[in-house]
Amino acid sequence: MHVLILGAAAGGGFPQWNCNCRLCRGVRDGSVEATPRTQSSIALSSDGERWLLCNASPDIRAQLSNNPELHPRKIPRDSGITGVLLMDGQIDHATGLLSLREGCPFDVWCTPNVHQDLSGGFPLFRMLEHWQGGLNWRPIGIDDDHLEAEFEVPDCPGLSFTAVALTSNAPPYSPRRGAPTPGDNIGLLIEDRRRGTQLFYAPGLGELDDRVRNFLGRADCVLVDGTLWHDDELIRAGVGQATGADMGHLALAGERGLLSELATLPQTTRRVLIHINNTNPILDERSQERAALARAGVEVAFDGMRLEV
């Protein structure tokens, strides 16, 4: 299984265009040792030729340019991208579909909740009907009665997918904002049947229960939510009032934080954080928090990172 990290930052990227927090200011003026990152997205492939996008961020054009595997190379109009899978309907994970309009029709895999939000409150599906038929919805069967759903993606032969309902928040334009239901956010367990290896991908993770812990424990590599170090980080930085819990992201630090959970995984499990907010001190490569991750054997994803699972 080939994994390209196209973007490793949370919404707004790093540095965020209108943010003057210590980290964004520091990466601009060179006073902080940190690497800029675009907004969160990955690409998956079983053969290194055909790629499935997991989320399509607003930074998709730059991300495609920076990854030769996704460039056209066979016919005058071409791409290594064969489809898109949406983990949720958030604007920073779906807006890139507009930049892919020249390649329509695309297969887009998502839950009924996400399809509803992207046909109503933020009607991408209806808007893109004007380009060569738009987007072909491929449903992922997560709902109140089905918290897990197994499916195949034809252009990823040898890989099997299990979608896992996660507790997080629905987008601001969703009628379920503040009262999310199963299907607003998913994690993915992807198995390479030929190698017998598994990746668990969850860029948005608001809570953990034993069901989700089971999927984390099964994976050879976990690529999971690193949005915030502290739950009240935006308040501490003076850039907002929302907590991580408000946004649907479990903070890394604390007795019940994600780092404590990752420490319980088998020693052989590779642990990688993605979807990192511009306020998170782990972006500062000389910070105490970054050193704590290194001691714990936890990696921080960066744009252009490649994983073989």
PDB file of all heavy atoms in Angstrom, residues 87-88 90 93 113 164-171 176-187 202-208 211 225 227 244-250 275:
ATOM      1  N   MET A  87     -13.726  11.954   3.924  1.00  0.00           N
ATOM      2  CA  MET A  87     -13.851  11.500   5.306  1.00  0.00           C
ATOM      3  C   MET A  87     -14.975  12.237   6.032  1.00  0.00           C
ATOM      4  O   MET A  87     -15.509  11.757   7.033  1.00  0.00           O
ATOM      5  CB  MET A  87     -12.533  11.728   6.050  1.00  0.00           C
ATOM      6  CG  MET A  87     -11.300  11.197   5.343  1.00  0.00           C
ATOM      7  SD  MET A  87     -11.295   9.408   5.216  1.00  0.00           S
ATOM      8  CE  MET A  87     -11.021   8.949   6.922  1.00  0.00           C
ATOM      9  N   ASP A  88     -15.307  13.421   5.556  1.00  0.00           N
ATOM     10  CA  ASP A  88     -16.373  14.241   6.125  1.00  0.00           C
ATOM     11  C   ASP A  88     -16.753  15.273   5.077  1.00  0.00           C
ATOM     12  O   ASP A  88     -16.230  15.250   3.952  1.00  0.00           O
ATOM     13  CB  ASP A  88     -15.931  14.909   7.442  1.00  0.00           C
ATOM     14  CG  ASP A  88     -14.642  15.728   7.299  1.00  0.00           C
ATOM     15  OD1 ASP A  88     -14.556  16.532   6.356  1.00  0.00           O
ATOM     16  OD2 ASP A  88     -13.729  15.562   8.125  1.00  0.00           O
ATOM     17  N   GLN A  90     -16.458  18.668   5.602  1.00  0.00           N
ATOM     18  CA  GLN A  90     -15.906  19.958   5.999  1.00  0.00           C
ATOM     19  C   GLN A  90     -15.336  20.694   4.781  1.00  0.00           C
ATOM     20  O   GLN A  90     -14.794  20.082   3.861  1.00  0.00           O
ATOM     21  CB  GLN A  90     -14.810  19.767   7.046  1.00  0.00           C
ATOM     22  CG  GLN A  90     -15.277  19.106   8.335  1.00  0.00           C
ATOM     23  CD  GLN A  90     -16.104  20.019   9.226  1.00  0.00           C
ATOM     24  OE1 GLN A  90     -16.208  21.225   8.975  1.00  0.00           O
ATOM     25  NE2 GLN A  90     -16.695  19.453  10.275  1.00  0.00           N
ATOM     26  N   HIS A  93     -11.917  19.955   3.483  1.00  0.00           N
ATOM     27  CA  HIS A  93     -11.696  18.621   2.940  1.00  0.00           C
ATOM     28  C   HIS A  93     -12.424  18.386   1.626  1.00  0.00           C
ATOM     29  O   HIS A  93     -12.197  17.365   0.974  1.00  0.00           O
ATOM     30  CB  HIS A  93     -12.151  17.562   3.951  1.00  0.00           C
ATOM     31  CG  HIS A  93     -11.234  17.434   5.123  1.00  0.00           C
ATOM     32  ND1 HIS A  93     -11.614  16.858   6.307  1.00  0.00           N
ATOM     33  CD2 HIS A  93      -9.939  17.823   5.284  1.00  0.00           C
ATOM     34  CE1 HIS A  93     -10.591  16.876   7.150  1.00  0.00           C
ATOM     35  NE2 HIS A  93      -9.571  17.468   6.558  1.00  0.00           N
ATOM     36  N   ASN A 113     -24.725  11.220   4.924  1.00  0.00           N
ATOM     37  CA  ASN A 113     -24.695  12.518   5.602  1.00  0.00           C
ATOM     38  C   ASN A 113     -23.847  13.528   4.832  1.00  0.00           C
ATOM     39  O   ASN A 113     -24.233  14.683   4.650  1.00  0.00           O
ATOM     40  CB  ASN A 113     -24.118  12.369   7.013  1.00  0.00           C
ATOM     41  CG  ASN A 113     -25.130  11.824   8.008  1.00  0.00           C
ATOM     42  OD1 ASN A 113     -26.203  11.368   7.624  1.00  0.00           O
ATOM     43  ND2 ASN A 113     -24.777  11.850   9.282  1.00  0.00           N
ATOM     44  N   VAL A 164     -15.423   3.518   9.428  1.00  0.00           N
ATOM     45  CA  VAL A 164     -15.752   3.436  10.851  1.00  0.00           C
ATOM     46  C   VAL A 164     -16.343   4.770  11.286  1.00  0.00           C
ATOM     47  O   VAL A 164     -15.687   5.816  11.150  1.00  0.00           O
ATOM     48  CB  VAL A 164     -14.483   3.135  11.678  1.00  0.00           C
ATOM     49  CG1 VAL A 164     -14.829   3.007  13.156  1.00  0.00           C
ATOM     50  CG2 VAL A 164     -13.776   1.883  11.160  1.00  0.00           C
ATOM     51  N   ALA A 165     -17.576   4.761  11.777  1.00  0.00           N
ATOM     52  CA  ALA A 165     -18.182   5.998  12.263  1.00  0.00           C
ATOM     53  C   ALA A 165     -17.396   6.528  13.458  1.00  0.00           C
ATOM     54  O   ALA A 165     -17.108   5.788  14.395  1.00  0.00           O
ATOM     55  CB  ALA A 165     -19.634   5.754  12.649  1.00  0.00           C
ATOM     56  N   LEU A 166     -17.043   7.809  13.397  1.00  0.00           N
ATOM     57  CA  LEU A 166     -16.322   8.459  14.481  1.00  0.00           C
ATOM     58  C   LEU A 166     -17.179   9.573  15.072  1.00  0.00           C
ATOM     59  O   LEU A 166     -18.021  10.158  14.381  1.00  0.00           O
ATOM     60  CB  LEU A 166     -15.007   9.062  13.977  1.00  0.00           C
ATOM     61  CG  LEU A 166     -13.996   8.106  13.354  1.00  0.00           C
ATOM     62  CD1 LEU A 166     -12.772   8.887  12.870  1.00  0.00           C
ATOM     63  CD2 LEU A 166     -13.581   7.009  14.335  1.00  0.00           C
ATOM     64  N   THR A 167     -16.936   9.873  16.344  1.00  0.00           N
ATOM     65  CA  THR A 167     -17.614  10.991  16.977  1.00  0.00           C
ATOM     66  C   THR A 167     -16.830  12.265  16.697  1.00  0.00           C
ATOM     67  O   THR A 167     -15.670  12.386  17.073  1.00  0.00           O
ATOM     68  CB  THR A 167     -17.713  10.783  18.498  1.00  0.00           C
ATOM     69  OG1 THR A 167     -18.443   9.572  18.742  1.00  0.00           O
ATOM     70  CG2 THR A 167     -18.419  11.947  19.160  1.00  0.00           C
ATOM     71  N   SER A 168     -17.448  13.174  15.979  1.00  0.00           N
ATOM     72  CA  SER A 168     -16.862  14.466  15.671  1.00  0.00           C
ATOM     73  C   SER A 168     -18.018  15.407  15.388  1.00  0.00           C
ATOM     74  O   SER A 168     -19.185  15.036  15.613  1.00  0.00           O
ATOM     75  CB  SER A 168     -15.902  14.359  14.487  1.00  0.00           C
ATOM     76  OG  SER A 168     -15.155  15.544  14.324  1.00  0.00           O
ATOM     77  N   ASN A 169     -17.760  16.602  14.897  1.00  0.00           N
ATOM     78  CA  ASN A 169     -18.857  17.531  14.637  1.00  0.00           C
ATOM     79  C   ASN A 169     -19.146  17.608  13.146  1.00  0.00           C
ATOM     80  O   ASN A 169     -18.276  17.341  12.302  1.00  0.00           O
ATOM     81  CB  ASN A 169     -18.541  18.924  15.174  1.00  0.00           C
ATOM     82  CG  ASN A 169     -19.797  19.667  15.605  1.00  0.00           C
ATOM     83  OD1 ASN A 169     -20.918  19.272  15.267  1.00  0.00           O
ATOM     84  ND2 ASN A 169     -19.624  20.743  16.360  1.00  0.00           N
ATOM     85  N   ALA A 170     -20.382  17.968  12.818  1.00  0.00           N
ATOM     86  CA  ALA A 170     -20.775  18.197  11.430  1.00  0.00           C
ATOM     87  C   ALA A 170     -20.348  19.605  11.014  1.00  0.00           C
ATOM     88  O   ALA A 170     -20.070  20.468  11.861  1.00  0.00           O
ATOM     89  CB  ALA A 170     -22.278  18.021  11.286  1.00  0.00           C
ATOM     90  N   PRO A 171     -20.276  19.873   9.698  1.00  0.00           N
ATOM     91  CA  PRO A 171     -19.846  21.205   9.240  1.00  0.00           C
ATOM     92  C   PRO A 171     -20.801  22.309   9.682  1.00  0.00           C
ATOM     93  O   PRO A 171     -21.973  22.051   9.996  1.00  0.00           O
ATOM     94  CB  PRO A 171     -19.850  21.060   7.713  1.00  0.00           C
ATOM     95  CG  PRO A 171     -19.831  19.602   7.438  1.00  0.00           C
ATOM     96  CD  PRO A 171     -20.537  18.950   8.577  1.00  0.00           C
ATOM     97  N   ARG A 176     -27.037  19.223  11.101  1.00  0.00           N
ATOM     98  CA  ARG A 176     -26.658  18.438  12.284  1.00  0.00           C
ATOM     99  C   ARG A 176     -25.511  19.083  13.068  1.00  0.00           C
ATOM    100  O   ARG A 176     -24.973  18.460  13.972  1.00  0.00           O
ATOM    101  CB  ARG A 176     -26.268  17.014  11.853  1.00  0.00           C
ATOM    102  CG  ARG A 176     -27.407  16.255  11.201  1.00  0.00           C
ATOM    103  CD  ARG A 176     -26.939  14.917  10.655  1.00  0.00           C
ATOM    104  NE  ARG A 176     -25.781  15.055   9.773  1.00  0.00           N
ATOM    105  CZ  ARG A 176     -25.848  15.509   8.520  1.00  0.00           C
ATOM    106  NH1 ARG A 176     -27.007  15.843   7.980  1.00  0.00           N
ATOM    107  NH2 ARG A 176     -24.737  15.621   7.787  1.00  0.00           N
ATOM    108  N   ARG A 177     -25.159  20.309  12.743  1.00  0.00           N
ATOM    109  CA  ARG A 177     -24.093  20.999  13.474  1.00  0.00           C
ATOM    110  C   ARG A 177     -24.458  21.072  14.958  1.00  0.00           C
ATOM    111  O   ARG A 177     -25.547  21.524  15.323  1.00  0.00           O
ATOM    112  CB  ARG A 177     -23.895  22.412  12.924  1.00  0.00           C
ATOM    113  CG  ARG A 177     -22.807  23.217  13.643  1.00  0.00           C
ATOM    114  CD  ARG A 177     -21.425  22.679  13.325  1.00  0.00           C
ATOM    115  NE  ARG A 177     -20.364  23.559  13.837  1.00  0.00           N
ATOM    116  CZ  ARG A 177     -19.063  23.327  13.675  1.00  0.00           C
ATOM    117  NH1 ARG A 177     -18.657  22.250  13.027  1.00  0.00           N
ATOM    118  NH2 ARG A 177     -18.173  24.172  14.151  1.00  0.00           N
ATOM    119  N   GLY A 178     -23.559  20.607  15.813  1.00  0.00           N
ATOM    120  CA  GLY A 178     -23.818  20.586  17.237  1.00  0.00           C
ATOM    121  C   GLY A 178     -24.561  19.360  17.707  1.00  0.00           C
ATOM    122  O   GLY A 178     -24.654  19.119  18.915  1.00  0.00           O
ATOM    123  N   ALA A 179     -25.082  18.578  16.776  1.00  0.00           N
ATOM    124  CA  ALA A 179     -25.784  17.334  17.118  1.00  0.00           C
ATOM    125  C   ALA A 179     -25.482  16.293  16.048  1.00  0.00           C
ATOM    126  O   ALA A 179     -26.377  15.815  15.354  1.00  0.00           O
ATOM    127  CB  ALA A 179     -27.287  17.579  17.234  1.00  0.00           C
ATOM    128  N   PRO A 180     -24.204  15.942  15.887  1.00  0.00           N
ATOM    129  CA  PRO A 180     -23.818  15.048  14.794  1.00  0.00           C
ATOM    130  C   PRO A 180     -24.389  13.639  14.967  1.00  0.00           C
ATOM    131  O   PRO A 180     -24.708  13.212  16.076  1.00  0.00           O
ATOM    132  CB  PRO A 180     -22.287  15.027  14.887  1.00  0.00           C
ATOM    133  CG  PRO A 180     -21.992  15.366  16.313  1.00  0.00           C
ATOM    134  CD  PRO A 180     -23.062  16.315  16.727  1.00  0.00           C
ATOM    135  N   THR A 181     -24.510  12.944  13.850  1.00  0.00           N
ATOM    136  CA  THR A 181     -24.985  11.568  13.834  1.00  0.00           C
ATOM    137  C   THR A 181     -23.976  10.710  13.080  1.00  0.00           C
ATOM    138  O   THR A 181     -23.105  11.241  12.374  1.00  0.00           O
ATOM    139  CB  THR A 181     -26.371  11.463  13.170  1.00  0.00           C
ATOM    140  OG1 THR A 181     -26.266  11.898  11.806  1.00  0.00           O
ATOM    141  CG2 THR A 181     -27.399  12.320  13.891  1.00  0.00           C
ATOM    142  N   PRO A 182     -24.048   9.380  13.211  1.00  0.00           N
ATOM    143  CA  PRO A 182     -23.096   8.528  12.498  1.00  0.00           C
ATOM    144  C   PRO A 182     -23.104   8.792  10.998  1.00  0.00           C
ATOM    145  O   PRO A 182     -24.153   8.823  10.356  1.00  0.00           O
ATOM    146  CB  PRO A 182     -23.601   7.115  12.815  1.00  0.00           C
ATOM    147  CG  PRO A 182     -24.264   7.243  14.144  1.00  0.00           C
ATOM    148  CD  PRO A 182     -24.926   8.592  14.106  1.00  0.00           C
ATOM    149  N   GLY A 183     -21.911   9.015  10.456  1.00  0.00           N
ATOM    150  CA  GLY A 183     -21.765   9.327   9.037  1.00  0.00           C
ATOM    151  C   GLY A 183     -21.282  10.736   8.781  1.00  0.00           C
ATOM    152  O   GLY A 183     -20.902  11.074   7.658  1.00  0.00           O
ATOM    153  N   ASP A 184     -21.269  11.582   9.812  1.00  0.00           N
ATOM    154  CA  ASP A 184     -20.725  12.930   9.635  1.00  0.00           C
ATOM    155  C   ASP A 184     -19.207  12.902   9.524  1.00  0.00           C
ATOM    156  O   ASP A 184     -18.605  13.773   8.900  1.00  0.00           O
ATOM    157  CB  ASP A 184     -21.140  13.839  10.792  1.00  0.00           C
ATOM    158  CG  ASP A 184     -22.588  14.264  10.693  1.00  0.00           C
ATOM    159  OD1 ASP A 184     -23.023  14.624   9.585  1.00  0.00           O
ATOM    160  OD2 ASP A 184     -23.290  14.230  11.718  1.00  0.00           O
ATOM    161  N   ASN A 185     -18.587  11.918  10.127  1.00  0.00           N
ATOM    162  CA  ASN A 185     -17.129  11.804  10.105  1.00  0.00           C
ATOM    163  C   ASN A 185     -16.774  10.326  10.209  1.00  0.00           C
ATOM    164  O   ASN A 185     -17.368   9.598  10.999  1.00  0.00           O
ATOM    165  CB  ASN A 185     -16.533  12.580  11.290  1.00  0.00           C
ATOM    166  CG  ASN A 185     -15.019  12.589  11.283  1.00  0.00           C
ATOM    167  OD1 ASN A 185     -14.391  11.604  11.644  1.00  0.00           O
ATOM    168  ND2 ASN A 185     -14.434  13.694  10.891  1.00  0.00           N
ATOM    169  N   ILE A 186     -15.829   9.896   9.394  1.00  0.00           N
ATOM    170  CA  ILE A 186     -15.424   8.498   9.437  1.00  0.00           C
ATOM    171  C   ILE A 186     -13.912   8.369   9.562  1.00  0.00           C
ATOM    172  O   ILE A 186     -13.154   9.283   9.231  1.00  0.00           O
ATOM    173  CB  ILE A 186     -15.882   7.715   8.182  1.00  0.00           C
ATOM    174  CG1 ILE A 186     -15.246   8.292   6.902  1.00  0.00           C
ATOM    175  CG2 ILE A 186     -17.398   7.668   8.090  1.00  0.00           C
ATOM    176  CD1 ILE A 186     -15.453   7.427   5.661  1.00  0.00           C
ATOM    177  N   GLY A 187     -13.491   7.225  10.067  1.00  0.00           N
ATOM    178  CA  GLY A 187     -12.122   6.769   9.941  1.00  0.00           C
ATOM    179  C   GLY A 187     -12.103   5.639   8.929  1.00  0.00           C
ATOM    180  O   GLY A 187     -13.152   5.101   8.555  1.00  0.00           O
ATOM    181  N   ALA A 202      -7.500   8.500  10.396  1.00  0.00           N
ATOM    182  CA  ALA A 202      -8.574   9.239  11.053  1.00  0.00           C
ATOM    183  C   ALA A 202      -8.105  10.665  11.330  1.00  0.00           C
ATOM    184  O   ALA A 202      -7.622  10.967  12.427  1.00  0.00           O
ATOM    185  CB  ALA A 202      -8.983   8.550  12.351  1.00  0.00           C
ATOM    186  N   PRO A 203      -8.225  11.579  10.356  1.00  0.00           N
ATOM    187  CA  PRO A 203      -7.772  12.960  10.565  1.00  0.00           C
ATOM    188  C   PRO A 203      -8.687  13.777  11.466  1.00  0.00           C
ATOM    189  O   PRO A 203      -8.303  14.858  11.913  1.00  0.00           O
ATOM    190  CB  PRO A 203      -7.736  13.533   9.148  1.00  0.00           C
ATOM    191  CG  PRO A 203      -8.751  12.720   8.393  1.00  0.00           C
ATOM    192  CD  PRO A 203      -8.690  11.344   8.978  1.00  0.00           C
ATOM    193  N   GLY A 204      -9.904  13.291  11.708  1.00  0.00           N
ATOM    194  CA  GLY A 204     -10.830  13.965  12.611  1.00  0.00           C
ATOM    195  C   GLY A 204     -11.325  12.983  13.647  1.00  0.00           C
ATOM    196  O   GLY A 204     -12.067  12.065  13.332  1.00  0.00           O
ATOM    197  N   LEU A 205     -10.889  13.148  14.898  1.00  0.00           N
ATOM    198  CA  LEU A 205     -11.192  12.157  15.932  1.00  0.00           C
ATOM    199  C   LEU A 205     -11.575  12.898  17.202  1.00  0.00           C
ATOM    200  O   LEU A 205     -10.718  13.451  17.889  1.00  0.00           O
ATOM    201  CB  LEU A 205      -9.965  11.276  16.153  1.00  0.00           C
ATOM    202  CG  LEU A 205     -10.088  10.035  17.032  1.00  0.00           C
ATOM    203  CD1 LEU A 205     -11.196   9.119  16.534  1.00  0.00           C
ATOM    204  CD2 LEU A 205      -8.768   9.287  17.043  1.00  0.00           C
ATOM    205  N   GLY A 206     -12.873  12.934  17.505  1.00  0.00           N
ATOM    206  CA  GLY A 206     -13.345  13.711  18.638  1.00  0.00           C
ATOM    207  C   GLY A 206     -13.367  12.954  19.944  1.00  0.00           C
ATOM    208  O   GLY A 206     -13.146  13.528  21.011  1.00  0.00           O
ATOM    209  N   GLU A 207     -13.660  11.651  19.877  1.00  0.00           N
ATOM    210  CA  GLU A 207     -13.726  10.810  21.069  1.00  0.00           C
ATOM    211  C   GLU A 207     -13.243   9.421  20.710  1.00  0.00           C
ATOM    212  O   GLU A 207     -13.275   9.007  19.550  1.00  0.00           O
ATOM    213  CB  GLU A 207     -15.162  10.718  21.605  1.00  0.00           C
ATOM    214  CG  GLU A 207     -15.750  12.014  22.115  1.00  0.00           C
ATOM    215  CD  GLU A 207     -17.174  11.829  22.602  1.00  0.00           C
ATOM    216  OE1 GLU A 207     -17.620  10.658  22.747  1.00  0.00           O
ATOM    217  OE2 GLU A 207     -17.851  12.843  22.826  1.00  0.00           O
ATOM    218  N   LEU A 208     -12.833   8.690  21.751  1.00  0.00           N
ATOM    219  CA  LEU A 208     -12.443   7.302  21.566  1.00  0.00           C
ATOM    220  C   LEU A 208     -13.335   6.413  22.418  1.00  0.00           C
ATOM    221  O   LEU A 208     -13.639   6.742  23.565  1.00  0.00           O
ATOM    222  CB  LEU A 208     -10.983   7.084  21.977  1.00  0.00           C
ATOM    223  CG  LEU A 208      -9.905   7.519  20.995  1.00  0.00           C
ATOM    224  CD1 LEU A 208      -8.533   7.273  21.595  1.00  0.00           C
ATOM    225  CD2 LEU A 208     -10.035   6.775  19.683  1.00  0.00           C
ATOM    226  N   ARG A 211     -14.747   0.468  20.606  1.00  0.00           N
ATOM    227  CA  ARG A 211     -14.894   0.065  19.199  1.00  0.00           C
ATOM    228  C   ARG A 211     -13.782   0.682  18.351  1.00  0.00           C
ATOM    229  O   ARG A 211     -13.130  -0.010  17.552  1.00  0.00           O
ATOM    230  CB  ARG A 211     -16.270   0.503  18.693  1.00  0.00           C
ATOM    231  CG  ARG A 211     -16.594   0.121  17.259  1.00  0.00           C
ATOM    232  CD  ARG A 211     -18.010   0.598  16.929  1.00  0.00           C
ATOM    233  NE  ARG A 211     -18.142   2.018  17.141  1.00  0.00           N
ATOM    234  CZ  ARG A 211     -17.856   2.935  16.224  1.00  0.00           C
ATOM    235  NH1 ARG A 211     -17.409   2.572  15.038  1.00  0.00           N
ATOM    236  NH2 ARG A 211     -18.007   4.213  16.478  1.00  0.00           N
ATOM    237  N   ASP A 225      -5.449  12.078  14.033  1.00  0.00           N
ATOM    238  CA  ASP A 225      -5.713  13.477  14.351  1.00  0.00           C
ATOM    239  C   ASP A 225      -4.676  14.075  15.306  1.00  0.00           C
ATOM    240  O   ASP A 225      -4.589  13.698  16.467  1.00  0.00           O
ATOM    241  CB  ASP A 225      -7.106  13.547  14.981  1.00  0.00           C
ATOM    242  CG  ASP A 225      -7.648  14.946  15.109  1.00  0.00           C
ATOM    243  OD1 ASP A 225      -6.865  15.905  15.077  1.00  0.00           O
ATOM    244  OD2 ASP A 225      -8.876  15.081  15.245  1.00  0.00           O
ATOM    245  N   THR A 227      -4.567  17.596  15.613  1.00  0.00           N
ATOM    246  CA  THR A 227      -4.965  18.994  15.478  1.00  0.00           C
ATOM    247  C   THR A 227      -4.401  19.888  16.577  1.00  0.00           C
ATOM    248  O   THR A 227      -3.730  20.883  16.304  1.00  0.00           O
ATOM    249  CB  THR A 227      -6.505  19.114  15.461  1.00  0.00           C
ATOM    250  OG1 THR A 227      -7.033  18.264  14.437  1.00  0.00           O
ATOM    251  CG2 THR A 227      -6.933  20.549  15.180  1.00  0.00           C
ATOM    252  N   GLY A 244     -11.102  22.228  21.329  1.00  0.00           N
ATOM    253  CA  GLY A 244     -10.994  21.061  20.472  1.00  0.00           C
ATOM    254  C   GLY A 244     -12.263  20.244  20.487  1.00  0.00           C
ATOM    255  O   GLY A 244     -12.732  19.767  19.442  1.00  0.00           O
ATOM    256  N   ALA A 245     -12.860  20.084  21.676  1.00  0.00           N
ATOM    257  CA  ALA A 245     -14.105  19.328  21.778  1.00  0.00           C
ATOM    258  C   ALA A 245     -15.214  19.982  20.956  1.00  0.00           C
ATOM    259  O   ALA A 245     -16.011  19.291  20.312  1.00  0.00           O
ATOM    260  CB  ALA A 245     -14.518  19.214  23.245  1.00  0.00           C
ATOM    261  N   ASP A 246     -15.269  21.321  20.957  1.00  0.00           N
ATOM    262  CA  ASP A 246     -16.268  22.030  20.154  1.00  0.00           C
ATOM    263  C   ASP A 246     -16.121  21.689  18.676  1.00  0.00           C
ATOM    264  O   ASP A 246     -17.119  21.534  17.956  1.00  0.00           O
ATOM    265  CB  ASP A 246     -16.125  23.540  20.329  1.00  0.00           C
ATOM    266  CG  ASP A 246     -16.474  24.033  21.721  1.00  0.00           C
ATOM    267  OD1 ASP A 246     -17.241  23.343  22.413  1.00  0.00           O
ATOM    268  OD2 ASP A 246     -15.968  25.108  22.107  1.00  0.00           O
ATOM    269  N   MET A 247     -14.883  21.591  18.223  1.00  0.00           N
ATOM    270  CA  MET A 247     -14.609  21.360  16.801  1.00  0.00           C
ATOM    271  C   MET A 247     -14.615  19.882  16.422  1.00  0.00           C
ATOM    272  O   MET A 247     -14.556  19.542  15.248  1.00  0.00           O
ATOM    273  CB  MET A 247     -13.259  21.981  16.428  1.00  0.00           C
ATOM    274  CG  MET A 247     -13.209  23.487  16.601  1.00  0.00           C
ATOM    275  SD  MET A 247     -11.640  24.194  16.048  1.00  0.00           S
ATOM    276  CE  MET A 247     -10.501  23.572  17.296  1.00  0.00           C
ATOM    277  N   GLY A 248     -14.647  19.011  17.432  1.00  0.00           N
ATOM    278  CA  GLY A 248     -14.657  17.581  17.146  1.00  0.00           C
ATOM    279  C   GLY A 248     -13.277  16.976  17.034  1.00  0.00           C
ATOM    280  O   GLY A 248     -13.079  16.025  16.278  1.00  0.00           O
ATOM    281  N   HIS A 249     -12.310  17.530  17.803  1.00  0.00           N
ATOM    282  CA  HIS A 249     -10.944  17.002  17.767  1.00  0.00           C
ATOM    283  C   HIS A 249     -10.465  16.726  19.187  1.00  0.00           C
ATOM    284  O   HIS A 249     -10.547  17.592  20.060  1.00  0.00           O
ATOM    285  CB  HIS A 249      -9.999  17.994  17.087  1.00  0.00           C
ATOM    286  CG  HIS A 249     -10.307  18.204  15.638  1.00  0.00           C
ATOM    287  ND1 HIS A 249      -9.979  17.283  14.668  1.00  0.00           N
ATOM    288  CD2 HIS A 249     -10.930  19.234  14.999  1.00  0.00           C
ATOM    289  CE1 HIS A 249     -10.376  17.733  13.481  1.00  0.00           C
ATOM    290  NE2 HIS A 249     -10.958  18.912  13.662  1.00  0.00           N
ATOM    291  N   LEU A 250      -9.961  15.527  19.409  1.00  0.00           N
ATOM    292  CA  LEU A 250      -9.418  15.129  20.691  1.00  0.00           C
ATOM    293  C   LEU A 250      -7.995  15.664  20.816  1.00  0.00           C
ATOM    294  O   LEU A 250      -7.143  15.396  19.967  1.00  0.00           O
ATOM    295  CB  LEU A 250      -9.418  13.596  20.788  1.00  0.00           C
ATOM    296  CG  LEU A 250      -8.881  12.960  22.067  1.00  0.00           C
ATOM    297  CD1 LEU A 250      -9.737  13.362  23.257  1.00  0.00           C
ATOM    298  CD2 LEU A 250      -8.834  11.446  21.918  1.00  0.00           C
ATOM    299  N   HIS A 275      -3.230  16.492  10.142  1.00  0.00           N
ATOM    300  CA  HIS A 275      -4.264  17.502  10.398  1.00  0.00           C
ATOM    301  C   HIS A 275      -3.871  18.345  11.611  1.00  0.00           C
ATOM    302  O   HIS A 275      -4.590  18.450  12.599  1.00  0.00           O
ATOM    303  CB  HIS A 275      -5.637  16.837  10.617  1.00  0.00           C
ATOM    304  CG  HIS A 275      -6.792  17.793  10.496  1.00  0.00           C
ATOM    305  ND1 HIS A 275      -7.266  18.517  11.573  1.00  0.00           N
ATOM    306  CD2 HIS A 275      -7.567  18.137   9.445  1.00  0.00           C
ATOM    307  CE1 HIS A 275      -8.280  19.257  11.189  1.00  0.00           C
ATOM    308  NE2 HIS A 275      -8.480  19.053   9.890  1.00  0.00           N
TER     309      HIS A 275
END
